[in-house]
């Protein structure tokens, strides 16, 4: 699969993915992830790059039991939409917790983790997952 | 601009077609549609093929030219149209524009998907390509998981019981029984649905459209061409609209409404000068039970949070106020993704012609088909009207 054999594809997204960089629209005030130059809500080009907060709350989640093939070894795993503390919604896996212990409203924090591997000889793709926040 | 008519329709059964290839399927439906129209191959001036994943699942692209050659009309204009699961509806929209504009008198539009050549995990890969590969699919989210989020949001926001939503699957299966082209022509019970395994909670296996192979085709033509055929029943595409929404679910303001449905339905209804109450037979894209309910609301047939009432009160039955998915819907007719939008219009055509057999709705005049790509990133809505 060509899309799983590309080093530059992973490299060029490194900042947005590893540092959780989003956009803040100067026109309509919307904040969003990932960053891009155009606001998806109002179309404005006046978008500021922002480092999104690393803590948030699990808003909805599910347990993936029938995974895409490159995630087969990880199933079952929890995927969620996490509402970051600035209001931005981010899709991510929830990690370091038993799937049965995840709940809506759970406080979580970002952690850099492995997502998938580009075949036996390809590079390993990392990204932000969320783990339970220890208060 | 010229009026656009459906001159002929054809489809294969939706099934695990181990003995048939992608090209066999689209060839079969195309030739059936041409034969049904009374026109000949030589009348076809352009071909639009709706397909989502042939490149990924078969390693085959360039389906327009491929089909033109395999049905023996090389030389015509042809192209593949892709908009995830709305590929069929989007291709139909292009075919409609081609005739409406006056450029062509007669075009063939075909939807096709061959899914069972691949392992289930690879099909899961293909389907999630409807979402953002870099930032959403990357996390291991499956397409079912995205719809599971919608389901959770919907039940939280409106306090609807899952049983009242899951009943959509029972409804679909009831009607598939009498559809000779349905993938699962057998009834199921609500208890079976609710006890079936979870794919991504709260979505059960029997709340999800199956994986299958199939192809459906329509021949569209201008009024002049149609008159030459001397048919009794004239079916006009009275409205054709495609709309998009913010691509990724997590960036939308309200995940329980598909704004692309709202927009496409309003536009198509306005083109046809109809209101929701004028619809006699409806096909909605219920890839998952909860989406069926949401579509009824977004198209204006029910208030938000109350779509399930139409199901429960029997209004979606063939003798109800809004006969819906009368040939089995995505759940039981099947959902060969790029073909689904064409199957829907194929079924509307059977209803409007009075050829729906035991599932026939009493004397319908206006049919509507709603076809969704991704979780509403694209929606196509078509209105077909019987003209005497």
């Amino acid at each position: 699969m060509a899309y799983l054999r590309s080093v530059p594809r992973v490299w060029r997204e490194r900042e947005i993915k590893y540092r959780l960089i989003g956009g803040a629209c100067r026109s309509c005030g919307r904040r969003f992830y990932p960053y891009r130059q155009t606001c998806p809500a109002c179309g404005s080009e006046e978008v500021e790059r922002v480092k999104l907060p690393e803590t948030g709350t699990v808003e909805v989640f599910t347990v993936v039991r029938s995974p895409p093939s490159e995630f087969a070894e990880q199933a079952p795993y929890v995927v969620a939409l996490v509402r970051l503390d600035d209001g931005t919604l981010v899709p991510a896996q929830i990690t370091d917790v038993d799937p049965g212990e995840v709940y809506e409203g759970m406080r979580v924090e970002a952690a850099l983790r492995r997502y998938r591997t580009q075949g036996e000889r390809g590079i390993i793709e990392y990204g932000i997952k969320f783990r339970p926040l220890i208060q | 601009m010229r009026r656009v008519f459906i001159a002929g329709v054809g489809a294969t059964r939706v099934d695990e077609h181990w003995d048939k290839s992608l090209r066999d399927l689209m060839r079969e439906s195309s030739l059936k549609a041409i034969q049904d129209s009374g026109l000949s191959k030589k009348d076809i001036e352009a071909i639009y093929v709706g397909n989502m994943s042939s490149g990924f699942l078969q390693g085959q692209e360039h389906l327009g030219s491929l089909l033109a050659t395999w049905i023996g009309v090389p030389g015509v204009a042809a192209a593949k149209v892709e908009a995830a699961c709305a590929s069929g509806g989007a291709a139909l929209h292009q075919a409609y524009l081609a005739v409406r504009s006056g450029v062509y008198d007669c075009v063939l539009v075909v939807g096709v998907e061959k899914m069972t050549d691949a392992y289930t995990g690879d099909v899961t890969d293909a389907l999630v390509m409807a979402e953002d590969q870099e930032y959403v699919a990357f996390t291991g989210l499956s397409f079912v998981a995205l719809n599971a989020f919608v389901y959770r949001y919907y039940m939280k926001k409106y306090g609807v019981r899952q049983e009242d939503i899951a009943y959509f699957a029972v409804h679909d299966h009831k009607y598939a029984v009498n559809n000779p082209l349905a993938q699962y022509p057998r009834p199921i019970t609500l208890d079976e649905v609710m006890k079936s395994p979870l794919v991504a909670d709260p979505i059960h296996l029997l709340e999800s459209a199956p994986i299958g192979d199939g192809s459906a085709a329509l021949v569209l033509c201008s009024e002049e061409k149609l008159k030459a055929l001397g048919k009794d029943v004239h079916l006009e595409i009275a409205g054709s609209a495609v709309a998009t929404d913010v691509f990724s679910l997590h960036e939308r303001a309200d995940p329980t409404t598909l704004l692309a449905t709202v927009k496409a339905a309003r536009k198509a209804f306005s083109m046809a000068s109809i209101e929701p109450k004028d619809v006699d037979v409806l096909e909605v894209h219920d890839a998952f039970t909860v989406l069926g309910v949401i579509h009824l609301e977004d198209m204006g047939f029910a208030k938000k949070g109350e779509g399930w009432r139409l199901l429960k009160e029997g209004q979606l039955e063939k003798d109800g106020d809004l006969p819906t998915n009368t040939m089995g819907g995505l759940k039981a007719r099947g959902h060969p993704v790029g073909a689904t939008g064409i199957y829907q219009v194929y079924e509307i055509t059977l209803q409007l012609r009075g050829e729906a057999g035991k599932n026939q709705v009493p004397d319908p005049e206006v049919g509507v088909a709603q076809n969704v790509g991704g979780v509403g990133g694209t929606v196509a809505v078509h209105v077909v009207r019987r003209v005497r």
Side-chain angles (χ1 to χ4, degrees), chain B residues 256-259 261-262 265 293-300 302 304:
Chain B
T256 65
T257 290
L258 272 54
L259 284 180
T261 298
V262 175
V293 170
I294 287 174
H295 301 331
L296 292 171
E297 299 166 2
D298 291 343
M299 297 182 83
K304 287 307 292 181

Side-chain angles (χ1 to χ4, degrees), chain A residues 9 13 30 36 59 69, chain B residues 125 134-135 140 153 201 251:
Chain A
R9 184 170 185 180
E13 304 296 334
R30 181 73 162 267
R36 79 216 69 161
E59 186 159 291
S69 53
Chain B
D125 274 329
E134 300 289 3
Y135 298 101
Y153 276 119
D201 55 294
E251 292 190 336

Side-chain angles (χ1 to χ4, degrees), chain A residues 58-64 77-82 89-94 102 104, chain B residues 131 136 139-157 200-203 248-250 254-256 288 290-291 294 375:
Chain A
V58 173
E59 186 159 291
V60 284
F61 71 96
T62 186
V63 182
V64 176
Y77 52 90
V78 181
V79 288
L81 296 182
V82 174
L89 203 56
V90 172
Q93 281 191 26
I94 305 299
V102 179
E104 288 177 5
Chain B
E131 246 285 1
V136 179
T139 66
L141 260 163
S142 62
F143 187 63
V144 187
L146 286 161
N147 287 277
F149 292 163
V150 173
Y151 213 145
R152 286 269 182 238
Y153 276 119
Y154 186 85
M155 286 196 293
K156 266 199 286 188
K157 183 166 180 179
D201 55 294
I203 298 182
S248 289
L249 183 71
H250 74 274
D254 179 4
T256 65
F288 302 94
V290 70
L291 270 296
I294 287 174
V375 192

